[in-house]
Structures are given as structure tokens and as C-alpha cells.
Amino acid sequence: MATLKKSKKSAKPKITIKKKVVKATKKGKKMSGEVFYPSKQVLEEARLKDWDKLAKSAGKDLKGFWEAEANELEWFSKWKKVLDDSKKPFFKWFTGAKVNIVHNAIDRHLKTHRKNQLALIWESEDGKEHRNFSYYAMNREVTRMANIIKSMGIKKGERVTIYMGRVPEIVFAMLACAKIGAIHSVVFGGFSVDSLAGRIEDSKSKLVITCDGSFQNGKIVQLKSIVDESLKRCPSVENVVVVKRVNNEVNMEEGRDHWYHNLCEQPIAEGKCETEQMDSEDPLFILYTSGSTGKPKAILHTHGGYMVGTYATLKYCFDIRDDDRWWCTADPGWITGHSYLVYGPMINGATSFMFEGGPAFPEPNRWWQCIERYGITIFYTAPTAIRGLMRFGDSWPQKHDLSSLRLLGTVGEPINPEAWKWYHRVIGDNKLPIIDTWWQTETGAFQIAPLPVTPLKPGSGTKPFFGQEAEIVDENGKPVADETEGYLVLKNPWPSMLRTIYGDDERYVTQYWSKHPGKYTTGDSAKRDKDGYFWIIGRVDDVIKVSGHRLGTAEVESALVSHPAVAEAAAIGLPHDIKGQAIYTFVLLRAGKVASEELAEELRQHVATHMGPIARPEEVRFVDKLPKTRSGKIMRRVLKARAQGLPEGDISTLEE
Ligand code: WT7
């Protein structure tokens, strides 16, 4: 791989922004396929030029690599061990150390020039409200929220459910929990009653922080009534703090529900709040995500390792700096929002932009307008959004000056080369690198991703991050040849890895560490090409990625079965032009119920009401029978093949 230093020595650096130039690997080896090399400017600006060297040394000494990263941050006291793998797969990082992620995301910046630098810029959906917070102001807001949470009786280690729209207070709430050592459990504001209630119940939260409502494409989502409905099933909740956002009529239950703005005026909200000294391995948050079976799993992350992982990955892969205006479009309700809207950018001391609305309301230039308005320098979004915006044509982005941008990023699902090229050409002015980051809720931080100087191939996240080794294996765990599809596994532990499934150690072991002993099972299928680049194909389990959002077939099925007309149901994901995948469902009605167009629509609505609009099935198809194994498991693979008119594969286990 070319580095600026090396290329200077050779006669002439053969680097252009176009894909033509071939000589960019170290030995001048030709890379296969279509390759986009970094421009001269990118190479000149990059702080880390010799990535190969660092990759090699991290490969030989991953503990040494991570220890050096950890040493760039502040600890109340340092670790005895960088990595404790004596009880694997229950790995521990920086054991014996005392730390708090908030100390590194806020407190330490207050001692430097960053104190008066912006931590967060926010714009409302309608573009009429703007709020900015310096690191100093962020500390004030988080402290106030922390005092309020404490006054609700929340102690270290207790869970707090956060269910809000994209407003600054969601960031304050997350950081406030972390500051006092409470465990936050953010539930995406697009989820509805069943999903919210299930997550509150499972986490046994005593406190819920919410908003009266949120704006979505000019309409109001009634967050507070969804909370009210959910709490009928959740006896653990003692208090609800409500942030006023949309000014709608809401029900406030005496003694349980409190307006945030009223609490802010109480003496209890005033004054200092010490940042709790946590053990490195103390829980920071849980985040529910869909797995192959059953209910969503609470993925547990910790203060020390997660902090180091999000810090280092953002620093290297996006080369983020103090003067960057970073925009990650993800909602804080997903891991991407946790790691790269809230924690990663703040630990790095950068400025994060958060936008309340979506990309195309009221018009499809809304995002491009924000890039211009705030001088965004790094823009990180999802393939589904790119495909959706691409559909409106080039004229919308072309109305705006996007020249502040220096890097682009993508995450959440494989990006198809057509969308990649549009993003590169139209948003990236034919020259900006696209950092395609592969990772998961479980990994906490990027695991396969390029650096700005890495030659890119559209659709590939390139190579594993420093210290990580990925492998493609077959059913028996044997590595397969290059260019062959197989299971993607990770071979090395990393600091921001999930520690367990909260309350279910056994499931943690079976889900992630049993299929390929000694290696982490990702649940994805992938290929590696002969240049060592990884190409993700998709999930191999029953997880559906709808517009990059992770949903489980089991959740959709149980929502359907909760309808009185439904006896049995199966859900699968099928390819969709914009969403990547869409949900298709097959329903077996109860005796006496009659299939109709109206009933199909009612069922689609039923799922949307119970789970949230993102889970609304594209189609409900009525069937007389579902293909099952003899042991009674629905064969979704067969349904998928049938629906697409593809061969059904091995159906020897199919019941008669
Ligand atoms: C799954 C994890 C953590 C990021 C947000 C999604 C898919 C994620 C990519 C990518 C191809 C990707 C995988 C993975 N995925 N990033 N760059 N290229 N596929 O987190 O909701 O936990 O989903 O998203 O299938 O397993 P998540």
C-alpha cells in the first residue's frame, strides 16, 4: 500500500483520484477488481500514513497496541492487566483500572482549549430551532440531568430506560447515567408498545426518561402515550421523567411522572455531581438487538474497553480531529448512535452534529442543506439512505455547496456498487474516500474498515482493524479458499467487545462462541478476495435488516400471532431496492377466519402498532401450511426460495 513517505522516494507517486492507476500496493502488485486510490490531498492530510507498519505491529502484539491507545486517555488509576482471558469467552479488558467514560468524553476536555469548543450542534426537524453546546455547557447539562436521575433514587448499577426522539436531552440522559454509574438502556424512538415494554421489563428499569412526543416528517409520534401503555406491563418503573418537546396534551400520572423542566428548577438539580469512579469492567449500557431466535438480547458494554474501542476506531478510520464537524446520521437508539454520535466523537474532542429529522422532509435536500449550513467535514450514513436519496437525482445535492466535506462513511448493510459510486461522485465530488465500516451492536466499534489512505473497492469494508483478524470458514469451521463464501468469524478479542448478554451468560456462549470454538461468530456470511479484502454478503441467521435496522423474524412473528385471527406466522426478509431488505410474512389463519385484502392490511397495521412502523410487513400472504422440519421448526429458507422462485435446496428434513 502506498504511503506518502514511500512514494516520495520512488520516482513519482502514482496516485490519482481516478480508478485507472494501478500501482498503489507496496510491492506494486496489481489489485483485482475496480480500485479507487486515495488522492494526493488525502495522502498529504492523513495523520497516519504508514498503516501497514502499525497493522503489522498490532498483529504481533495486540495488547501492546490497545495499551498504547488506552494510555492516550485518562484513568483514575491504571490497569493491572490489559487483557484477562483466563475465563474466555468472558474476556476482560484493563482489569483493575478505575475510569469513567464521561471523564474522557467531557471532564478531561474542560482542562484544555476544548472547554469552549462545541461538543454538540443540533437542528430541529423544521430547521427553525438551533441549539449549540460547548464542552463546558455539555458538562453543565449532563450534571443537571445526573443530579435529577440521582434524586429519583437511581444508584450505580441500576438500569434506566431512555425512550426519546433525536433531541439534545437524549445525549444528556445517556451521559448522565454513565456519569453516576447507572446503566442506560436506550430504546429507539421508532419502536412501539411491545418492543418498549419488553425491553423495560427485561432490564427491570426503575426510571424511564422520555419526551411528550417527537416529530417525524411533520407529524407527532406520541412517545408519552406509548410509555403509558407499556408501563401497564412494567411494575418495576417508579418514575418517569418527561422532556417537553412537541407541546402536545399528555397524561401525567401524579407521583410517577415529572416534567423535566420543572425538575430543573428544583434545588436538587443544582450543584456539582462527581463523576463516579467505575471499575473498567463495570457495565456502561445495555442495548437490545435482535438475534436468531426469541426475544431481543440485551448486549452489555463496559466503561473501559468500550471507551478505548470507540476512541481508537474513530481516530484512525476517520482520522477525526478537534476542528472536524462530524455528522453521524444514525439515531442514538442504535449502536451506531451510541458509539459514533455520542461517545466516540466526544472522547475524541470533536464536534458532533445531530439533526432531529430525516433526509427527505420537507424536501430531499434536507441533509445536503445541513452539510452546507454547518460546514460538515465528515458525513457518516447508511446505504439505505444513500439509495433513497439517489432516487431523487443529482439536482438536489447540486443545489448545495458540499465542499466542506473531506470524508464520507457508510454502515449497516452491504452497499451496492451503484449507490457507492453515486455517493462518491455526487456527494464526494469524485474524490472523497468512502469509509465502509463493518461492525455490530455486539462489537461496539468498527472491526472491518479502511483508513482514509486505504485503496477502496466499492462494496468492500477492506480489511480488519488493527489487532483484529477475520476469517471465512465453512460449516465445520475450516477456513475456505479466497473468493469462496462462508461464515465470517473474528479471531481475536478486542476491547469494545460485548461482555455478555445481560442476565443470560449461557446464551452469550451459545450464540457467539459455540459454533466455531475459540472464534467469535458474527452471524454474517462473507467472502475474502485475493487482496485480503472482505465482502459482506448478509446475515445467515433469522435477522432481517430493514433500512439498516436490525429486526428479528421471531419478533415480527409473535406480533402477528398476537392478533386474534392468526394461528401461525412466518417472517422472512427479501431483497428490496431502497430498504435493502423488506419483511414478507406468511400467515395461517385460525379456523373460521377468512383471508381478505382488508385483513392483510389490518395485520400489517397490527405489526406496525405493536412493534413500530419500521417493522410493518411489505406483504402478508395467507397460506394453508408452513414448511416445517419434522421437529416443528419453520423452514424460512424454503419460504425465501419459494418467494423468489429459486431452488429450494436440501429439503430432506421437511415434514410431509
Ligand atoms: C449487522 C449488524 C454496527 C453498525 C450498525 C448495525 C450488517 C453492518 C455493515 C457493512 C455490510 C454491514 C451486518 C452485521 N452490517 N455494517 N459496512 N457492510 N454489512 O449494527 O444492527 O448490530 O447489525 O449489520 O450484517 O452483522 P447491527
Side-chain angles (χ1 to χ4, degrees):
M1 207 168 292
T3 66
L4 192 63
K5 261 200 206 140
K6 293 265 169 184
S7 13
K8 265 187 183 158
K9 273 186 216 154
S10 65
K12 226 181 185 182
K14 280 231 170 179
I15 289 141
T16 79
I17 53 168
K18 299 273 159 47
K19 60 179 185 191
K20 275 177 282 170
V21 177
V22 156
K23 206 177 165 191
T25 56
K26 244 186 184 154
K27 295 175 203 92
K29 203 178 79 190
K30 187 178 182 321
M31 286 173 74
S32 66
E34 197 175 359
V35 186
F36 288 70
Y37 293 97
S39 68
K40 200 167 167 224
Q41 191 184 349
V42 166
L43 288 170
E44 272 168 10
E45 277 174 12
R47 283 179 303 184
L48 179 72
K49 297 190 168 79
D50 209 344
W51 126 287
D52 264 5
K53 200 171 141 202
L54 187 56
K56 272 199 194 106
S57 75
K60 280 196 205 108
D61 178 15
L62 80 98
K63 286 189 231 173
F65 169 77
W66 285 114
E67 180 159 38
E69 295 306 313
N71 271 322
E72 292 182 8
L73 299 171
E74 287 187 5
W75 302 72
F76 300 123
S77 66
K78 293 262 171 108
W79 45 90
K80 294 203 177 66
K81 263 186 159 177
V82 173
L83 170 64
D84 176 358
D85 56 5
S86 59
K87 295 203 179 65
K88 53 187 170 196
F90 296 94
F91 295 91
K92 291 190 165 94
W93 285 85
F94 310 109
T95 50
K98 289 278 184 196
V99 72
N100 189 308
I101 196 166
V102 173
H103 179 82
N104 281 286
I106 301 178
D107 305 5
R108 75 178 176 120
H109 302 317
L110 305 180
K111 298 176 285 187
T112 70
H113 67 281
R114 284 175 178 155
K115 175 177 173 179
N116 294 322
Q117 197 173 293
L118 291 182
L120 185 71
I121 301 175
W122 177 84
E123 179 168 312
S124 63
E125 180 176 87
D126 65 7
K128 289 182 185 147
E129 288 168 80
H130 310 87
R131 296 169 72 189
N132 293 336
F133 302 89
S134 64
Y135 278 92
Y136 181 84
M138 188 55 93
N139 181 54
R140 179 188 67 225
E141 299 294 335
V142 171
T143 297
R144 187 156 56 196
M145 181 74 92
N147 283 333
I148 288 172
I149 296 174
K150 262 187 169 170
S151 79
M152 300 277 140
I154 299 299
K155 305 211 168 54
K156 189 169 165 175
E158 292 186 323
R159 278 79 52 213
V160 175
T161 294
I162 300 173
Y163 179 66
M164 303 167 83
R166 272 191 299 278
V167 287
E169 284 77 7
I170 189 172
V171 180
F172 309 160
M174 291 166 72
L175 293 165
C177 287
K179 187 175 173 72
I180 64 167
I183 305 172
H184 60 70
S185 167
V186 183
V187 179
F188 174 54
F191 277 130
S192 196
V193 181
D194 283 357
S195 311
L196 176 61
R199 286 158 172 78
I200 298 175
E201 238 175 346
D202 186 81
S203 65
K204 299 192 184 61
S205 295
K206 280 165 46 179
L207 173 66
V208 175
I209 307 178
T210 189
C211 296
D212 54 351
S214 64
F215 291 113
Q216 202 187 24
N217 298 337
K219 292 198 201 81
I220 288 176
V221 181
Q222 306 285 350
L223 295 179
K224 179 61 169 59
S225 1
I226 295 172
V227 170
D228 290 341
E229 194 55 36
S230 306
L231 292 196
K232 290 182 186 159
R233 295 186 226 165
C234 305
S236 63
V237 176
E238 295 165 3
N239 290 291
V240 180
V241 171
V242 188
V243 173
K244 198 179 228 40
R245 171 64 194 130
V246 300
N247 251 320
N248 57 340
E249 270 299 316
V250 297
N251 152 59
M252 295 292 282
E253 199 175 297
E254 181 75 42
R256 186 194 71 181
D257 302 349
H258 319 270
W259 285 112
Y260 181 63
H261 59 268
N262 289 343
L263 294 169
C264 284
E265 280 164 19
Q266 308 282 320
I268 190 77
E270 291 305 315
K272 274 190 146 179
C273 174
E274 286 300 323
T275 300
E276 195 73 28
Q277 301 207 0
M278 308 294 288
D279 282 341
S280 174
E281 281 292 308
D282 274 339
L284 167 64
F285 66 82
I286 51 176
L287 184 59
Y288 287 84
T289 191
S290 303
S292 44
T293 49
K295 0 176 248 181
K297 307 168 290 188
I299 303 302
L300 180 86
H301 284 288
T302 57
H303 272 261
Y306 177 81
M307 171 183 86
V308 176
T310 52
Y311 165 73
T313 47
L314 192 55
K315 182 184 77 175
Y316 286 118
C317 298
F318 284 96
D319 203 1
I320 198 166
R321 301 150 198 214
D322 280 21
D323 58 357
D324 269 315
R325 288 279 184 272
W326 159 266
W327 183 8
C328 161
T329 65
D331 191 277
W334 305 101
I335 190 70
T336 311
H338 280 57
S339 300
Y340 298 112
L341 196 164
V342 181
Y343 289 111
M346 290 185 65
I347 299 168
N348 275 283
T351 302
S352 227
F353 172 63
M354 177 158 95
F355 174 50
E356 186 181 34
F361 179 81
E363 290 194 298
N365 67 331
R366 200 59 184 90
W367 277 4
W368 317 130
Q369 191 179 47
C370 285
I371 291 178
E372 178 173 17
R373 187 172 287 167
Y374 296 101
I376 301 298
T377 56
I378 315 180
F379 180 65
Y380 182 45
T381 193
T384 185
I386 298 164
R387 288 190 298 264
L389 290 166
M390 185 169 97
R391 195 175 46 149
F392 295 108
D394 300 5
S395 66
W396 291 100
Q398 278 162 358
K399 283 196 220 319
H400 298 277
D401 177 4
L402 306 180
S403 61
S404 57
L405 290 171
R406 66 179 190 90
L407 287 174
L408 302 175
T410 158
V411 61
E413 48 169 326
I415 181 163
N416 46 312
E418 195 199 348
W420 195 99
K421 285 177 191 165
W422 184 83
Y423 196 27
H424 185 256
R425 176 175 62 81
V426 181
I427 310 305
D429 193 20
N430 267 317
K431 63 181 188 205
L432 302 188
I434 296 177
I435 310 297
D436 181 347
T437 60
W438 178 90
W439 58 298
Q440 308 177 300
T441 306
E442 292 87 342
T443 70
F446 311 150
Q447 295 304 305
I448 299 177
L451 269 55
V453 297
T454 310
L456 303 171
K457 301 188 189 188
S460 167
T462 74
K463 294 183 178 188
F465 187 70
F466 301 121
Q468 190 51 279
E469 278 178 85
E471 203 171 55
I472 313 289
V473 297
D474 66 15
E475 197 59 48
N476 305 313
K478 235 183 87 214
V480 301
D482 284 345
E483 312 282 358
T484 312
E485 183 176 343
Y487 299 100
L488 175 69
V489 296
L490 301 178
K491 288 172 74 178
N492 296 335
W494 64 100
S496 64
M497 61 200 300
L498 77 160
R499 295 303 190 266
T500 190
I501 294 171
Y502 185 70
D504 200 346
D505 286 347
E506 202 182 308
R507 195 163 168 208
Y508 165 71
V509 177
T510 49
Q511 185 89 33
Y512 302 107
W513 300 96
S514 299
K515 190 166 168 66
H516 310 101
K519 294 167 188 166
Y520 169 83
T521 300
T522 64
D524 279 5
S525 66
K527 281 197 268 200
R528 185 175 57 203
D529 70 17
K530 52 183 195 296
D531 298 314
Y533 277 37
F534 285 83
W535 300 77
I536 308 295
I537 295 160
R539 299 289 307 192
V540 282
D541 51 12
D542 294 319
V543 167
I544 311 178
K545 289 240 113 186
V546 185
S547 301
H549 298 327
R550 182 162 160 184
L551 297 171
T553 51
E555 292 160 83
V556 179
E557 289 161 6
S558 74
L560 280 168
V561 173
S562 74
H563 188 282
V566 178
E568 279 186 81
I572 57 168
L574 290 181
H576 184 279
D577 280 351
I578 307 276
K579 298 180 187 174
Q581 280 190 304
I583 303 173
Y584 282 74
T585 58
F586 300 83
V587 164
L588 212 127
L589 291 175
R590 288 183 184 221
K593 303 286 175 189
V594 185
S596 68
E597 222 3 85
E598 293 71 50
L599 182 58
E601 178 50 31
E602 188 181 320
L603 291 175
R604 292 169 66 223
Q605 187 50 42
H606 180 80
V607 176
T609 313
H610 282 252
M611 281 185 71
I614 48 164
R616 177 195 290 276
E618 201 72 12
E619 199 179 303
V620 170
R621 209 176 282 177
F622 298 105
V623 293
D624 304 327
K625 203 171 178 209
L626 289 169
K628 284 188 189 163
T629 61
R630 266 166 242 132
S631 59
K633 269 180 76 179
I634 296 171
M635 293 181 84
R636 297 194 186 79
R637 180 176 57 79
V638 172
L639 283 172
K640 230 170 161 162
R642 281 184 194 164
Q644 297 178 93
L646 297 169
E648 291 183 13
D650 178 9
I651 47 166
S652 56
T653 57
L654 197 70
E655 73 175 352
E656 273 317 302

Coordinates of all heavy atoms in Angstrom, one line a residue, residues 293-331:
T293 N -33.1 -16.2 17.4 CA -34.3 -16.7 18.0 C -34.8 -15.9 19.1 O -34.1 -15.2 19.7 CB -34.1 -18.2 18.5 OG1 -32.9 -18.1 19.4 CG2 -33.9 -19.2 17.4
G294 N -36.1 -16.1 19.4 CA -36.7 -15.5 20.6 C -36.6 -14.0 20.7 O -36.5 -13.3 19.7
K295 N -36.6 -13.5 22.0 CA -36.7 -12.1 22.2 C -35.4 -11.4 22.0 O -34.3 -12.1 22.0 CB -37.2 -11.7 23.5 CG -37.6 -12.8 24.5 CD -38.0 -12.2 25.9 CE -36.9 -12.6 26.9 NZ -37.1 -12.1 28.2
P296 N -35.4 -10.1 21.8 CA -34.2 -9.4 21.6 C -33.2 -9.6 22.8 O -33.7 -9.8 23.9 CB -34.6 -7.9 21.5 CG -36.0 -8.0 21.1 CD -36.6 -9.3 21.6
K297 N -32.0 -9.5 22.5 CA -31.0 -9.8 23.6 C -30.4 -8.4 24.0 O -30.1 -7.5 23.2 CB -29.8 -10.6 23.0 CG -30.3 -11.8 22.3 CD -29.2 -12.5 21.5 CE -28.8 -11.6 20.3 NZ -27.9 -12.3 19.4
A298 N -30.1 -8.4 25.3 CA -29.5 -7.2 25.9 C -28.0 -7.3 25.8 O -27.4 -8.0 26.6 CB -29.9 -7.0 27.3
I299 N -27.4 -6.6 24.9 CA -26.0 -6.6 24.7 C -25.3 -5.7 25.7 O -25.7 -4.5 25.8 CB -25.6 -6.2 23.3 CG1 -26.3 -7.0 22.2 CG2 -24.1 -6.1 23.1 CD1 -26.0 -8.5 22.3
L300 N -24.4 -6.2 26.5 CA -23.8 -5.4 27.5 C -22.4 -4.9 27.2 O -21.5 -5.7 26.7 CB -23.6 -6.3 28.8 CG -23.0 -5.6 30.0 CD1 -24.1 -4.9 30.8 CD2 -22.3 -6.6 30.9
H301 N -22.2 -3.6 27.3 CA -20.9 -3.0 27.1 C -20.4 -2.3 28.4 O -21.2 -1.9 29.3 CB -20.9 -2.0 26.0 CG -21.0 -2.6 24.6 ND1 -19.9 -3.2 24.1 CD2 -22.0 -2.8 23.7 CE1 -20.2 -3.7 22.9 NE2 -21.5 -3.4 22.6
T302 N -19.1 -2.2 28.5 CA -18.5 -1.7 29.8 C -17.7 -0.3 29.6 O -17.4 0.1 28.4 CB -17.5 -2.7 30.3 OG1 -16.5 -2.9 29.2 CG2 -18.1 -4.0 30.6
H303 N -17.4 0.3 30.7 CA -16.8 1.6 30.6 C -15.4 1.6 29.9 O -15.2 2.4 29.0 CB -16.6 2.2 32.1 CG -17.8 2.9 32.5 ND1 -17.9 4.3 32.5 CD2 -19.0 2.5 33.0 CE1 -19.1 4.7 33.0 NE2 -19.8 3.6 33.3
G304 N -14.5 0.8 30.4 CA -13.1 0.9 30.0 C -12.9 0.5 28.5 O -12.5 1.3 27.7
G305 N -13.3 -0.7 28.2 CA -13.0 -1.3 26.9 C -13.7 -0.6 25.8 O -13.2 -0.2 24.7
Y306 N -15.0 -0.3 26.0 CA -15.8 0.4 25.0 C -15.3 1.8 24.7 O -15.3 2.2 23.6 CB -17.3 0.4 25.5 CG -18.2 1.2 24.6 CD1 -18.8 0.5 23.5 CD2 -18.6 2.5 24.9 CE1 -19.7 1.2 22.7 CE2 -19.5 3.2 24.1 CZ -20.0 2.5 23.0 OH -20.9 3.2 22.2
M307 N -14.8 2.4 25.8 CA -14.3 3.8 25.7 C -13.0 3.7 24.7 O -12.9 4.5 23.8 CB -13.9 4.3 27.1 CG -13.1 5.5 27.1 SD -12.7 6.0 28.8 CE -11.2 5.0 29.0
V308 N -12.1 2.8 25.0 CA -10.9 2.7 24.2 C -11.2 2.3 22.8 O -10.7 2.9 21.8 CB -9.9 1.7 24.9 CG1 -8.7 1.6 24.0 CG2 -9.5 2.2 26.3
G309 N -12.2 1.4 22.6 CA -12.5 0.9 21.3 C -13.1 2.0 20.4 O -12.7 2.2 19.2
T310 N -14.1 2.7 20.9 CA -14.8 3.8 20.1 C -13.8 4.9 19.8 O -13.8 5.5 18.7 CB -16.0 4.3 20.8 OG1 -15.7 4.7 22.1 CG2 -17.1 3.3 20.9
Y311 N -13.0 5.2 20.8 CA -12.0 6.3 20.6 C -11.0 5.9 19.5 O -10.8 6.7 18.6 CB -11.2 6.5 22.0 CG -9.9 7.3 21.8 CD1 -10.0 8.6 21.6 CD2 -8.7 6.6 21.9 CE1 -8.8 9.4 21.5 CE2 -7.5 7.4 21.8 CZ -7.6 8.7 21.5 OH -6.4 9.5 21.4
A312 N -10.4 4.8 19.6 CA -9.3 4.5 18.6 C -9.9 4.2 17.2 O -9.3 4.7 16.2 CB -8.6 3.2 19.1
T313 N -11.0 3.6 17.1 CA -11.5 3.3 15.7 C -11.9 4.6 15.0 O -11.6 4.8 13.8 CB -12.8 2.4 15.8 OG1 -13.7 2.9 16.8 CG2 -12.4 1.0 16.1
L314 N -12.5 5.5 15.8 CA -12.9 6.8 15.1 C -11.7 7.6 14.8 O -11.6 8.3 13.7 CB -13.9 7.6 16.0 CG -14.6 8.8 15.4 CD1 -15.3 8.3 14.2 CD2 -15.5 9.4 16.4
K315 N -10.7 7.6 15.7 CA -9.5 8.3 15.5 C -8.7 7.9 14.2 O -8.3 8.7 13.4 CB -8.6 8.2 16.7 CG -7.3 8.9 16.6 CD -6.4 8.7 17.8 CE -5.7 7.3 17.6 NZ -4.7 7.0 18.7
Y316 N -8.7 6.5 14.0 CA -7.9 6.0 12.9 C -8.7 6.0 11.6 O -8.3 6.5 10.6 CB -7.4 4.6 13.2 CG -6.2 4.6 14.1 CD1 -6.3 4.0 15.4 CD2 -5.0 5.2 13.8 CE1 -5.2 4.0 16.3 CE2 -3.9 5.2 14.7 CZ -4.0 4.6 15.9 OH -3.0 4.6 16.8
C317 N -9.9 5.4 11.7 CA -10.7 5.2 10.4 C -11.2 6.5 9.8 O -11.3 6.6 8.6 CB -11.8 4.2 10.6 SG -11.2 2.6 11.2
F318 N -11.5 7.5 10.6 CA -12.0 8.7 10.1 C -11.0 9.9 10.4 O -11.3 11.0 10.1 CB -13.4 9.1 10.6 CG -14.5 8.3 10.0 CD1 -15.0 7.1 10.6 CD2 -15.0 8.7 8.8 CE1 -16.0 6.4 10.0 CE2 -16.0 7.9 8.2 CZ -16.5 6.8 8.8
D319 N -9.9 9.5 11.0 CA -8.8 10.5 11.2 C -9.4 11.8 11.8 O -9.1 12.9 11.4 CB -8.1 10.8 9.9 CG -6.7 11.4 10.1 OD1 -6.3 11.5 11.3 OD2 -6.1 11.7 9.1
I320 N -10.3 11.6 12.8 CA -11.1 12.7 13.3 C -10.3 13.7 14.1 O -9.3 13.2 14.8 CB -12.3 12.2 14.1 CG1 -13.4 13.3 14.3 CG2 -11.9 11.6 15.4 CD1 -14.7 12.8 14.7
R321 N -10.5 14.9 14.0 CA -9.8 16.0 14.7 C -10.7 17.0 15.4 O -11.8 17.0 15.2 CB -8.9 16.7 13.7 CG -8.0 15.9 12.9 CD -7.8 16.4 11.5 NE -7.2 15.3 10.7 CZ -6.4 15.5 9.7 NH1 -6.0 16.7 9.5 NH2 -5.9 14.5 9.0
D322 N -10.0 17.8 16.2 CA -10.8 18.8 17.0 C -11.6 19.7 16.2 O -12.7 20.1 16.6 CB -9.8 19.7 17.8 CG -9.3 19.0 19.0 OD1 -9.4 17.8 19.1 OD2 -8.8 19.7 19.9
D323 N -11.1 20.0 15.0 CA -11.8 21.0 14.2 C -12.8 20.4 13.2 O -13.4 21.0 12.3 CB -10.9 22.0 13.5 CG -9.9 21.2 12.6 OD1 -9.9 20.0 12.6 OD2 -9.1 21.9 11.9
D324 N -13.0 19.1 13.3 CA -14.0 18.5 12.4 C -15.4 18.8 12.9 O -15.7 19.0 14.1 CB -13.8 16.9 12.4 CG -12.8 16.5 11.3 OD1 -13.0 17.0 10.2 OD2 -11.9 15.7 11.6
R325 N -16.3 18.8 11.9 CA -17.7 18.9 12.1 C -18.2 17.5 11.7 O -18.4 17.3 10.5 CB -18.4 20.0 11.3 CG -18.0 21.4 11.8 CD -18.9 21.7 13.0 NE -18.7 23.1 13.5 CZ -17.8 23.4 14.4 NH1 -17.0 22.6 14.9 NH2 -17.7 24.7 14.8
W326 N -18.4 16.7 12.6 CA -18.7 15.3 12.3 C -20.2 15.1 12.4 O -20.9 15.5 13.3 CB -18.0 14.4 13.4 CG -18.6 13.0 13.6 CD1 -19.5 12.6 14.5 CD2 -18.2 11.9 12.9 NE1 -19.7 11.3 14.4 CE2 -18.9 10.8 13.4 CE3 -17.3 11.6 11.8 CZ2 -18.8 9.5 13.0 CZ3 -17.2 10.3 11.4 CH2 -17.9 9.2 12.0
W327 N -20.8 14.4 11.3 CA -22.2 14.1 11.3 C -22.4 12.6 11.1 O -22.2 12.1 10.0 CB -22.9 14.9 10.3 CG -24.4 14.7 10.3 CD1 -25.1 14.0 11.3 CD2 -25.4 15.2 9.4 NE1 -26.5 14.1 11.0 CE2 -26.7 14.8 9.8 CE3 -25.3 16.0 8.2 CZ2 -27.8 15.1 9.1 CZ3 -26.4 16.3 7.5 CH2 -27.7 15.8 8.0
C328 N -22.9 11.9 12.2 CA -23.4 10.6 12.0 C -24.9 10.6 12.1 O -25.5 11.1 13.0 CB -22.8 9.7 13.2 SG -23.7 8.2 13.5
T329 N -25.5 10.2 11.0 CA -27.0 10.4 10.9 C -27.8 9.4 11.7 O -29.0 9.5 11.7 CB -27.4 10.3 9.4 OG1 -27.2 9.0 8.9 CG2 -26.7 11.3 8.5
A330 N -27.1 8.4 12.3 CA -27.9 7.4 13.0 C -28.6 7.9 14.2 O -28.2 9.0 14.8 CB -26.9 6.3 13.5
D331 N -29.6 7.2 14.6 CA -30.4 7.6 15.8 C -29.6 7.1 17.0 O -29.1 6.0 17.0 CB -31.8 6.9 15.7 CG -32.7 7.5 16.8 OD1 -32.6 7.0 18.0 OD2 -33.4 8.4 16.5

